[in-house]
Amino acid sequence: MVELRLEIDKGREADAARFFGAGQKLLDALDSLAETPTDWRLSELRLGSAVAAIGSSTDDLAGPIPKLMRGLRLVTENKTPPDWAPDTFAEARAVTEFALGEATSTLTLVGSAEADNVVYLNDHLAKLLRQLQPTTRTIPGSIRGTVTGVNVSRGNRASIRLQGNGRTVRVSLSDALRESFKEALYGFVEVIGEIRQDHTGRPFHITAQSLRLIPEPATNWSDLLGIDPDATDGMPVLEYLRRIRGE
């Protein structure tokens, strides 16, 4: 299991406002990378300089903690992380800006074999995050997919796995929609609201205004075309069928 350790003002007494501000934005950044709403747990807390380590029961090397750290290392090389949503850039920049002070502040990946597991939260990183921030646009519309997670304990949040491409869209919802989303968990739905799209036009966030449960469409033969191009071992279909029938 991997964890993420935040240290503010190494070697001196930490500023409480900066520590708690950076911690909240760190959770927001991790949420933006999580496939489903996640309850983060505190596994370490020390004072002097302020040190806190967080993780979740499900996080692994493919989870949001390693994604955040790998992305930050790419940013330090002036490269754009390919698996970051636009919100992640803004939240990571907020973590860095809250952490800025006279002393050193860091993020450390714990429980991983990766050698380069420390990122320094400094002016240079904040500048690069500002420069690499992708453009977005917000439009009214709807999405269809499967509700894969709902969390109302830390803000009203949900996740939808889109029909077709399987990408996950994060959902913000009002108190009035809490029960509707909980009842629709793992169901196929249509959500109407304000959609945020990245620079390629792909949705990554929706502020839900309404939700309706709909029958999941059956798979058509056209959907299966080409799903396994090696199914016939390179043989023409007719010859392949004759072979398996023993003709």
Side-chain angles (χ1 to χ4, degrees), residues 57-153:
S57 59
T58 58
D59 213 342
D60 54 27
L61 294 179
I65 286 177
K67 281 184 182 178
L68 179 64
M69 290 296 283
R70 284 194 292 266
L72 286 172
R73 287 196 290 269
L74 285 174
V75 169
T76 61
E77 299 170 4
N78 204 21
K79 298 177 182 177
T80 301
D83 53 358
W84 278 23
D87 279 356
T88 308
F89 288 86
E91 304 297 359
R93 187 177 74 249
V95 174
T96 305
E97 290 174 346
F98 266 107
L100 293 178
E102 294 181 4
T104 300
S105 296
T106 60
L107 283 175
T108 303
L109 184 63
V110 181
S112 169
E114 297 181 32
D116 189 12
N117 64 349
V118 179
V119 170
Y120 290 88
L121 304 175
N122 51 31
D123 284 308
H124 180 62
L125 179 61
K127 179 181 178 181
L128 290 173
L129 286 164
R130 284 194 297 270
Q131 292 174 346
L132 293 173
Q133 176 72 51
T135 58
T136 63
R137 68 170 182 167
T138 302
I139 61 170
S142 65
I143 60 172
R144 287 190 174 192
T146 302
V147 181
T148 56
V150 180
N151 189 319
V152 297
S153 63

Side-chain angles (χ1 to χ4, degrees), residues 178-191:
R178 279 183 173 188
E179 292 304 316
S180 296
F181 268 90
K182 286 195 285 187
E183 291 171 2
L185 185 60
Y186 306 124
F188 191 76
V189 301
E190 180 178 56
V191 181

Side-chain angles (χ1 to χ4, degrees), residues 223-234 240:
D223 297 327
L224 301 177
L225 184 63
I227 194 169
D228 185 359
D230 298 320
T232 64
D233 298 326
Y240 176 78

Side-chain angles (χ1 to χ4, degrees), residues 200-245:
T200 67
R202 297 182 301 182
F204 64 91
H205 184 275
I206 183 169
T207 301
Q209 297 171 350
S210 65
L211 167 78
R212 71 183 181 99
L213 194 63
I214 57 178
E216 188 165 4
T219 301
N220 298 317
W221 282 108
S222 59
D223 297 327
L224 301 177
L225 184 63
I227 194 169
D228 185 359
D230 298 320
T232 64
D233 298 326
M235 300 171 62
V237 174
L238 184 58
E239 184 179 344
Y240 176 78
L241 290 174
R242 285 174 176 164
R243 188 184 73 174
I244 64 175
R245 291 172 182 166

